Amino acid sequence: MGRRFAWLPTLLLLRFSAFADDRCPMNVSQPAPENAYQVNDVLWAGQPEKPYPPAAYRSMQGVGYVLCTCETGSCIRKCCAPNAAYVNSKCTPLNVSDHVVEFKVPKLVNANGTVDIYETDLFHVVYGKLTCRKKYKLAPSPEKNDDFRINKEGFLLNESGKIIAAPDRFCLEQFSELNYQILAVVCSPEQLAVQQDGTNVFYTIGMMLSLPFLLITFLVYALIRDLRNLHGKSLMCHVATLLVAYSSLVVVQFITDSVVKTWCIFLAYIVQFSFLASFFWLNVMCFDLWWTFSGFRPLRGNIREHEAKKFIIYSIYAWGCTSFISIITFGMENLLFLPTEKIRPGFGIKSCWFGTDLATLLYFYGPIGTLLFSNLLMFIHTAIMIIKHMRDAKVLRGSESQKNVDHEKQRNILCFRFMLYLKLFIVMGVNWLAEIISWATGSDGSEYVWYITDIGNSLQGVLIFLIFVCKKRVLNLLNKKLCPQFQIFKTSTSVSTRTTNSTVSSRTSSNVKNKDSVEMSSKSISNSINNQLQDFKV
């Protein structure tokens, strides 16, 4: 099932055949016949002898063997005791004067009531409330489509035949306020980040700490006009989607009994969409950096028009691809006929997330892994281009031309841009690559190295704030915007060297002429970098 992914939507797949210690499913058992004996893992018992697989029996010290009733046949749980029903949401003993119809397992319940019932001896009835903490009620009505049916295996299904809950995740009971109509009480889907050892608390705290930092980062870039360029707008979109994703995850952590299954499914779609969108915008930022270093011909027009056109194209790509995947997910969820149920997303059936590993791969980790892999390739190619450009710049180092100063300046800029790209890749990429690898390899979470990546991901908002806001230029702009009367940072003055550069260049025209081929190879890259230099100054 993979490790716990405690900080993000967790794959909490309920193993309905699982059991704790030597207890049978739904805690119902009966003594095996005295002539029972075991051959390998199979128990043979009864007259005539009948084989029971390991899941259908338990070996009890001093007792012999017991058969798990709900493994050998179908079980249905009644919420209250045999002669009791729900009165004002409490199990209350019934009186003879109540004229209550005998409890029988329904085949179908809709707005008109119980449509059909099963034979009395088809199910073994288990009595007692559900052990889950959060529950909701299915109450079919003309205004609310809560129709449900029970199949012969004891599973709760919706009207179209899709599984809502397994036998141990719901119970049936008569409700006095509805004239003792039989309704289903269902365990709410598990929370997104539940762990037995309680370490999910740390990841929840990490996400809550990230929220204000993400909000501050968004507001800083939204308030300062100089930062609202192509990179700034892309970063704002990335931060906004992470803010929505983290907020949704925190909401699910504190989900209450009043939150119905519909809200659980809605939050699952929100989490999927927002996380996917954040990765598409991360891909946009990586692509734009790679495009800058590649030296491809830019779009026509001035810089502002060029960036506006690129941002429109990037928006169509990021939002369009995310919406396409979400629409496919929604469509596959609502298709009545599929070759296999494993490719159905299954939101809200077993948890507020995907129901199977295959669905998680198709609609979430598959696209994320593809984007991260493309980011990795662009990072490697960009690093190669930076090294090549730095070597070309060194060729001019021996020249007396002022262009040496420019190339040295460009070399420093390239180094800084490379380090920024490296930070982006580590903070937003490596941790998630580790998540996908651990999920794919099925790590059980006992390795403490995974806790580091989990904490890094939950604190991603803090790290983004440190990278993009805690820079001298950004803080200086923020200082001028909010408190112009107080100057926190001294503004450094720059001396123009255009005249000197022109004079020296005329004296050394022969040297520069010999190096034209080298300069031409880096000219387009240098122009692109200089246009964006101010956005990345420390």
Short mmCIF file of all heavy atoms in Angstrom, two decimals, residues 7 202-219 238-247 249-250 275 427 431-432 453-466 469:
data_model
loop_
_atom_site.label_atom_id
_atom_site.label_comp_id
_atom_site.label_asym_id
_atom_site.label_seq_id
_atom_site.Cartn_x
_atom_site.Cartn_y
_atom_site.Cartn_z
N TRP A 7 1.65 13.86 5.27
CA TRP A 7 1.41 15.29 5.16
C TRP A 7 0.47 15.63 4.02
O TRP A 7 -0.04 16.72 3.93
CB TRP A 7 2.73 16.02 4.94
CG TRP A 7 3.25 15.82 3.57
CD1 TRP A 7 3.98 14.78 3.13
CD2 TRP A 7 3.04 16.68 2.47
NE1 TRP A 7 4.24 14.92 1.81
CE2 TRP A 7 3.68 16.09 1.37
CE3 TRP A 7 2.38 17.90 2.29
CZ2 TRP A 7 3.68 16.66 0.12
CZ3 TRP A 7 2.39 18.47 1.04
CH2 TRP A 7 3.03 17.85 -0.03
N PHE A 202 2.53 16.44 13.53
CA PHE A 202 3.65 17.30 13.14
C PHE A 202 3.48 17.79 11.71
O PHE A 202 3.79 18.94 11.39
CB PHE A 202 4.97 16.53 13.28
CG PHE A 202 5.29 16.18 14.71
CD1 PHE A 202 5.08 14.89 15.18
CD2 PHE A 202 5.80 17.13 15.57
CE1 PHE A 202 5.38 14.56 16.49
CE2 PHE A 202 6.10 16.80 16.89
CZ PHE A 202 5.89 15.52 17.35
N TYR A 203 2.98 16.92 10.83
CA TYR A 203 2.79 17.32 9.44
C TYR A 203 1.65 18.33 9.32
O TYR A 203 1.70 19.25 8.51
CB TYR A 203 2.54 16.10 8.57
CG TYR A 203 3.63 15.07 8.68
CD1 TYR A 203 3.36 13.80 9.16
CD2 TYR A 203 4.94 15.38 8.33
CE1 TYR A 203 4.36 12.85 9.30
CE2 TYR A 203 5.95 14.44 8.46
CZ TYR A 203 5.65 13.18 8.93
OH TYR A 203 6.64 12.26 9.07
N THR A 204 0.61 18.14 10.13
CA THR A 204 -0.49 19.10 10.13
C THR A 204 -0.01 20.46 10.61
O THR A 204 -0.35 21.50 10.03
CB THR A 204 -1.63 18.60 11.04
OG1 THR A 204 -2.06 17.31 10.61
CG2 THR A 204 -2.81 19.56 11.00
N ILE A 205 0.80 20.47 11.66
CA ILE A 205 1.37 21.73 12.16
C ILE A 205 2.24 22.36 11.08
O ILE A 205 2.22 23.59 10.88
CB ILE A 205 2.17 21.49 13.45
CG1 ILE A 205 1.23 21.04 14.58
CG2 ILE A 205 2.93 22.74 13.86
CD1 ILE A 205 1.95 20.63 15.85
N GLY A 206 3.03 21.55 10.38
CA GLY A 206 3.87 22.07 9.30
C GLY A 206 3.05 22.73 8.21
O GLY A 206 3.41 23.82 7.72
N MET A 207 1.95 22.11 7.83
CA MET A 207 1.08 22.71 6.81
C MET A 207 0.46 24.00 7.31
O MET A 207 0.35 24.98 6.56
CB MET A 207 -0.01 21.71 6.40
CG MET A 207 0.49 20.58 5.53
SD MET A 207 -0.85 19.55 4.90
CE MET A 207 -1.45 18.77 6.40
N MET A 208 0.05 24.02 8.57
CA MET A 208 -0.55 25.23 9.13
C MET A 208 0.47 26.37 9.20
O MET A 208 0.12 27.54 9.02
CB MET A 208 -1.13 24.93 10.51
CG MET A 208 -2.30 23.95 10.48
SD MET A 208 -2.95 23.55 12.12
CE MET A 208 -3.69 25.12 12.58
N LEU A 209 1.74 26.02 9.45
CA LEU A 209 2.79 27.04 9.45
C LEU A 209 3.05 27.56 8.03
O LEU A 209 3.38 28.73 7.84
CB LEU A 209 4.07 26.47 10.03
CG LEU A 209 4.11 26.26 11.55
CD1 LEU A 209 5.41 25.57 11.95
CD2 LEU A 209 3.97 27.58 12.29
N SER A 210 2.90 26.68 7.05
CA SER A 210 3.15 27.07 5.67
C SER A 210 2.11 28.05 5.15
O SER A 210 2.42 28.90 4.30
CB SER A 210 3.19 25.83 4.76
OG SER A 210 4.37 25.08 4.96
N LEU A 211 0.88 27.93 5.64
CA LEU A 211 -0.21 28.74 5.10
C LEU A 211 0.06 30.25 5.19
O LEU A 211 -0.07 30.95 4.18
CB LEU A 211 -1.53 28.38 5.80
CG LEU A 211 -2.10 27.00 5.47
CD1 LEU A 211 -3.36 26.74 6.28
CD2 LEU A 211 -2.40 26.88 3.98
N PRO A 212 0.41 30.80 6.36
CA PRO A 212 0.66 32.25 6.40
C PRO A 212 1.84 32.67 5.54
O PRO A 212 1.82 33.75 4.95
CB PRO A 212 0.92 32.54 7.89
CG PRO A 212 1.29 31.23 8.49
CD PRO A 212 0.53 30.20 7.71
N PHE A 213 2.88 31.84 5.43
CA PHE A 213 4.03 32.19 4.61
C PHE A 213 3.66 32.19 3.12
O PHE A 213 4.14 33.03 2.35
CB PHE A 213 5.18 31.23 4.88
CG PHE A 213 5.89 31.47 6.18
CD1 PHE A 213 5.57 30.74 7.31
CD2 PHE A 213 6.86 32.46 6.28
CE1 PHE A 213 6.21 30.96 8.52
CE2 PHE A 213 7.51 32.70 7.48
CZ PHE A 213 7.18 31.96 8.61
N LEU A 214 2.83 31.23 2.72
CA LEU A 214 2.36 31.23 1.34
C LEU A 214 1.51 32.47 1.05
O LEU A 214 1.64 33.10 0.00
CB LEU A 214 1.54 29.96 1.06
CG LEU A 214 2.32 28.65 0.98
CD1 LEU A 214 1.37 27.47 0.92
CD2 LEU A 214 3.24 28.64 -0.25
N LEU A 215 0.66 32.81 2.00
CA LEU A 215 -0.19 33.99 1.83
C LEU A 215 0.65 35.27 1.76
O LEU A 215 0.40 36.14 0.91
CB LEU A 215 -1.20 34.08 2.98
CG LEU A 215 -2.18 35.26 2.93
CD1 LEU A 215 -3.02 35.21 1.66
CD2 LEU A 215 -3.07 35.27 4.17
N ILE A 216 1.65 35.38 2.62
CA ILE A 216 2.52 36.56 2.62
C ILE A 216 3.29 36.66 1.30
O ILE A 216 3.40 37.74 0.71
CB ILE A 216 3.50 36.51 3.81
CG1 ILE A 216 2.74 36.67 5.13
CG2 ILE A 216 4.56 37.60 3.69
CD1 ILE A 216 3.60 36.44 6.36
N THR A 217 3.80 35.52 0.81
CA THR A 217 4.52 35.53 -0.46
C THR A 217 3.63 36.01 -1.59
O THR A 217 4.03 36.83 -2.43
CB THR A 217 5.05 34.12 -0.77
OG1 THR A 217 5.88 33.67 0.30
CG2 THR A 217 5.86 34.11 -2.06
N PHE A 218 2.41 35.52 -1.61
CA PHE A 218 1.46 35.93 -2.66
C PHE A 218 1.16 37.42 -2.57
O PHE A 218 1.16 38.14 -3.59
CB PHE A 218 0.17 35.12 -2.53
CG PHE A 218 -0.87 35.46 -3.57
CD1 PHE A 218 -0.85 34.85 -4.81
CD2 PHE A 218 -1.86 36.39 -3.30
CE1 PHE A 218 -1.80 35.17 -5.77
CE2 PHE A 218 -2.81 36.72 -4.24
CZ PHE A 218 -2.78 36.10 -5.49
N LEU A 219 0.92 37.92 -1.36
CA LEU A 219 0.57 39.33 -1.19
C LEU A 219 1.74 40.25 -1.54
O LEU A 219 1.54 41.33 -2.12
CB LEU A 219 0.12 39.58 0.26
CG LEU A 219 -1.21 38.93 0.67
CD1 LEU A 219 -1.50 39.20 2.14
CD2 LEU A 219 -2.35 39.43 -0.20
N HIS A 238 1.59 29.63 -8.73
CA HIS A 238 2.09 28.44 -8.03
C HIS A 238 1.78 28.51 -6.53
O HIS A 238 1.30 27.53 -5.93
CB HIS A 238 3.60 28.33 -8.26
CG HIS A 238 4.24 27.19 -7.53
ND1 HIS A 238 4.09 25.88 -7.91
CD2 HIS A 238 5.04 27.17 -6.44
CE1 HIS A 238 4.76 25.09 -7.09
NE2 HIS A 238 5.35 25.86 -6.18
N VAL A 239 2.03 29.66 -5.94
CA VAL A 239 1.79 29.83 -4.51
C VAL A 239 0.30 29.76 -4.19
O VAL A 239 -0.11 29.16 -3.19
CB VAL A 239 2.39 31.17 -4.03
CG1 VAL A 239 1.94 31.50 -2.62
CG2 VAL A 239 3.92 31.12 -4.08
N ALA A 240 -0.53 30.35 -5.05
CA ALA A 240 -1.98 30.34 -4.81
C ALA A 240 -2.53 28.92 -4.82
O ALA A 240 -3.37 28.55 -3.98
CB ALA A 240 -2.69 31.19 -5.85
N THR A 241 -2.07 28.10 -5.76
CA THR A 241 -2.56 26.72 -5.81
C THR A 241 -2.09 25.91 -4.60
O THR A 241 -2.85 25.10 -4.06
CB THR A 241 -2.08 26.04 -7.10
OG1 THR A 241 -0.65 26.18 -7.23
CG2 THR A 241 -2.73 26.68 -8.32
N LEU A 242 -0.85 26.14 -4.17
CA LEU A 242 -0.39 25.47 -2.95
C LEU A 242 -1.18 25.92 -1.74
O LEU A 242 -1.47 25.12 -0.83
CB LEU A 242 1.10 25.74 -2.74
CG LEU A 242 2.10 24.96 -3.59
CD1 LEU A 242 3.52 25.38 -3.25
CD2 LEU A 242 1.93 23.46 -3.39
N LEU A 243 -1.54 27.19 -1.70
CA LEU A 243 -2.32 27.72 -0.58
C LEU A 243 -3.68 27.03 -0.50
O LEU A 243 -4.14 26.64 0.58
CB LEU A 243 -2.50 29.23 -0.75
CG LEU A 243 -3.18 29.99 0.39
CD1 LEU A 243 -2.36 29.88 1.68
CD2 LEU A 243 -3.36 31.45 0.01
N VAL A 244 -4.33 26.84 -1.64
CA VAL A 244 -5.62 26.15 -1.67
C VAL A 244 -5.45 24.68 -1.28
O VAL A 244 -6.25 24.14 -0.50
CB VAL A 244 -6.25 26.26 -3.07
CG1 VAL A 244 -7.51 25.41 -3.17
CG2 VAL A 244 -6.58 27.71 -3.40
N ALA A 245 -4.41 24.03 -1.80
CA ALA A 245 -4.18 22.62 -1.49
C ALA A 245 -3.94 22.40 -0.01
O ALA A 245 -4.54 21.52 0.62
CB ALA A 245 -3.00 22.10 -2.31
N TYR A 246 -3.06 23.20 0.58
CA TYR A 246 -2.74 23.05 2.00
C TYR A 246 -3.96 23.38 2.87
O TYR A 246 -4.21 22.72 3.89
CB TYR A 246 -1.56 23.93 2.37
CG TYR A 246 -0.21 23.33 2.03
CD1 TYR A 246 -0.01 22.69 0.83
CD2 TYR A 246 0.86 23.42 2.91
CE1 TYR A 246 1.22 22.14 0.50
CE2 TYR A 246 2.10 22.87 2.59
CZ TYR A 246 2.26 22.23 1.38
OH TYR A 246 3.47 21.68 1.06
N SER A 247 -4.71 24.39 2.49
CA SER A 247 -5.91 24.75 3.25
C SER A 247 -6.91 23.61 3.25
O SER A 247 -7.52 23.29 4.28
CB SER A 247 -6.55 26.01 2.67
OG SER A 247 -5.66 27.12 2.73
N LEU A 249 -6.26 20.42 2.85
CA LEU A 249 -5.75 19.32 3.67
C LEU A 249 -5.95 19.60 5.16
O LEU A 249 -6.31 18.69 5.92
CB LEU A 249 -4.27 19.10 3.38
CG LEU A 249 -3.94 18.47 2.04
CD1 LEU A 249 -2.43 18.44 1.82
CD2 LEU A 249 -4.50 17.07 1.95
N VAL A 250 -5.73 20.83 5.57
CA VAL A 250 -5.93 21.18 6.98
C VAL A 250 -7.39 21.05 7.35
O VAL A 250 -7.73 20.56 8.45
CB VAL A 250 -5.42 22.61 7.25
CG1 VAL A 250 -5.81 23.06 8.65
CG2 VAL A 250 -3.89 22.67 7.09
N PHE A 275 -3.10 20.66 -6.30
CA PHE A 275 -1.74 20.13 -6.32
C PHE A 275 -1.24 19.95 -7.75
O PHE A 275 -0.09 20.27 -8.07
CB PHE A 275 -1.66 18.80 -5.57
CG PHE A 275 -1.26 18.95 -4.14
CD1 PHE A 275 -2.08 18.51 -3.11
CD2 PHE A 275 -0.05 19.52 -3.79
CE1 PHE A 275 -1.73 18.65 -1.79
CE2 PHE A 275 0.32 19.67 -2.46
CZ PHE A 275 -0.52 19.24 -1.46
N VAL A 427 13.72 22.16 -3.47
CA VAL A 427 12.58 22.43 -2.59
C VAL A 427 11.29 21.86 -3.15
O VAL A 427 10.49 21.24 -2.44
CB VAL A 427 12.43 23.95 -2.35
CG1 VAL A 427 11.13 24.27 -1.64
CG2 VAL A 427 13.62 24.45 -1.55
N ASN A 431 11.88 16.53 -3.07
CA ASN A 431 11.03 15.96 -2.02
C ASN A 431 9.88 15.17 -2.60
O ASN A 431 9.52 14.08 -2.13
CB ASN A 431 10.49 17.07 -1.12
CG ASN A 431 11.56 17.60 -0.17
OD1 ASN A 431 12.55 16.94 0.07
ND2 ASN A 431 11.36 18.80 0.33
N TRP A 432 9.28 15.72 -3.66
CA TRP A 432 8.15 15.01 -4.28
C TRP A 432 8.61 13.79 -5.05
O TRP A 432 7.89 12.79 -5.12
CB TRP A 432 7.38 15.97 -5.18
CG TRP A 432 6.38 16.78 -4.42
CD1 TRP A 432 6.60 17.96 -3.79
CD2 TRP A 432 5.02 16.46 -4.20
NE1 TRP A 432 5.45 18.40 -3.19
CE2 TRP A 432 4.46 17.50 -3.43
CE3 TRP A 432 4.19 15.41 -4.57
CZ2 TRP A 432 3.14 17.51 -3.02
CZ3 TRP A 432 2.87 15.41 -4.18
CH2 TRP A 432 2.36 16.45 -3.42
N THR A 453 11.69 14.19 4.11
CA THR A 453 11.01 14.70 2.92
C THR A 453 9.58 15.11 3.23
O THR A 453 9.06 16.08 2.68
CB THR A 453 11.02 13.64 1.81
OG1 THR A 453 10.34 12.46 2.27
CG2 THR A 453 12.44 13.29 1.42
N ASP A 454 8.93 14.37 4.14
CA ASP A 454 7.57 14.73 4.53
C ASP A 454 7.53 16.10 5.20
O ASP A 454 6.69 16.95 4.89
CB ASP A 454 6.98 13.68 5.48
CG ASP A 454 6.48 12.46 4.73
OD1 ASP A 454 6.38 12.53 3.49
OD2 ASP A 454 6.23 11.42 5.37
N ILE A 455 8.44 16.30 6.14
CA ILE A 455 8.49 17.59 6.84
C ILE A 455 8.87 18.70 5.86
O ILE A 455 8.32 19.81 5.90
CB ILE A 455 9.50 17.52 8.01
CG1 ILE A 455 8.99 16.54 9.07
CG2 ILE A 455 9.72 18.90 8.61
CD1 ILE A 455 9.97 16.29 10.21
N GLY A 456 9.80 18.40 4.94
CA GLY A 456 10.17 19.38 3.93
C GLY A 456 9.00 19.79 3.06
O GLY A 456 8.82 20.97 2.73
N ASN A 457 8.17 18.84 2.70
CA ASN A 457 6.99 19.14 1.90
C ASN A 457 5.95 19.92 2.69
O ASN A 457 5.32 20.84 2.16
CB ASN A 457 6.37 17.85 1.36
CG ASN A 457 7.08 17.37 0.11
OD1 ASN A 457 7.49 18.16 -0.72
ND2 ASN A 457 7.23 16.07 -0.03
N SER A 458 5.73 19.55 3.94
CA SER A 458 4.74 20.25 4.74
C SER A 458 5.16 21.68 5.04
O SER A 458 4.31 22.56 5.24
CB SER A 458 4.49 19.50 6.06
OG SER A 458 5.66 19.47 6.86
N LEU A 459 6.48 21.93 5.06
CA LEU A 459 7.00 23.29 5.30
C LEU A 459 7.40 23.99 4.00
O LEU A 459 8.17 24.95 4.02
CB LEU A 459 8.21 23.22 6.23
CG LEU A 459 7.94 22.77 7.67
CD1 LEU A 459 9.24 22.61 8.44
CD2 LEU A 459 7.02 23.76 8.39
N GLN A 460 6.87 23.53 2.89
CA GLN A 460 7.25 24.10 1.61
C GLN A 460 6.92 25.59 1.52
O GLN A 460 7.64 26.36 0.89
CB GLN A 460 6.55 23.35 0.47
CG GLN A 460 7.14 23.63 -0.88
CD GLN A 460 6.56 22.71 -1.94
OE1 GLN A 460 5.72 23.12 -2.73
NE2 GLN A 460 6.99 21.46 -1.94
N GLY A 461 5.83 26.00 2.16
CA GLY A 461 5.48 27.41 2.15
C GLY A 461 6.54 28.27 2.80
O GLY A 461 6.84 29.38 2.31
N VAL A 462 7.14 27.79 3.88
CA VAL A 462 8.21 28.53 4.56
C VAL A 462 9.43 28.62 3.66
O VAL A 462 10.06 29.69 3.54
CB VAL A 462 8.57 27.85 5.89
CG1 VAL A 462 9.68 28.62 6.60
CG2 VAL A 462 7.35 27.73 6.79
N LEU A 463 9.78 27.53 3.00
CA LEU A 463 10.95 27.51 2.14
C LEU A 463 10.77 28.43 0.93
O LEU A 463 11.70 29.12 0.52
CB LEU A 463 11.23 26.07 1.68
CG LEU A 463 11.52 25.06 2.80
CD1 LEU A 463 11.69 23.66 2.23
CD2 LEU A 463 12.77 25.47 3.57
N ILE A 464 9.59 28.44 0.35
CA ILE A 464 9.32 29.34 -0.78
C ILE A 464 9.43 30.79 -0.33
O ILE A 464 9.97 31.63 -1.05
CB ILE A 464 7.92 29.04 -1.36
CG1 ILE A 464 7.91 27.68 -2.05
CG2 ILE A 464 7.50 30.13 -2.35
CD1 ILE A 464 6.55 27.25 -2.54
N PHE A 465 8.94 31.08 0.85
CA PHE A 465 9.05 32.44 1.39
C PHE A 465 10.51 32.85 1.54
O PHE A 465 10.90 33.97 1.18
CB PHE A 465 8.33 32.50 2.74
CG PHE A 465 8.50 33.81 3.47
CD1 PHE A 465 7.70 34.89 3.17
CD2 PHE A 465 9.46 33.94 4.47
CE1 PHE A 465 7.85 36.10 3.83
CE2 PHE A 465 9.62 35.14 5.14
CZ PHE A 465 8.82 36.22 4.82
N LEU A 466 11.34 31.96 2.05
CA LEU A 466 12.76 32.28 2.24
C LEU A 466 13.47 32.51 0.91
O LEU A 466 14.34 33.37 0.79
CB LEU A 466 13.45 31.15 3.01
CG LEU A 466 13.00 30.94 4.46
CD1 LEU A 466 13.68 29.72 5.05
CD2 LEU A 466 13.30 32.18 5.30
N VAL A 469 11.07 35.78 -1.07
CA VAL A 469 10.76 37.02 -0.38
C VAL A 469 11.97 37.54 0.39
O VAL A 469 12.23 38.75 0.39
CB VAL A 469 9.54 36.86 0.56
CG1 VAL A 469 9.29 38.14 1.34
CG2 VAL A 469 8.31 36.47 -0.25
#
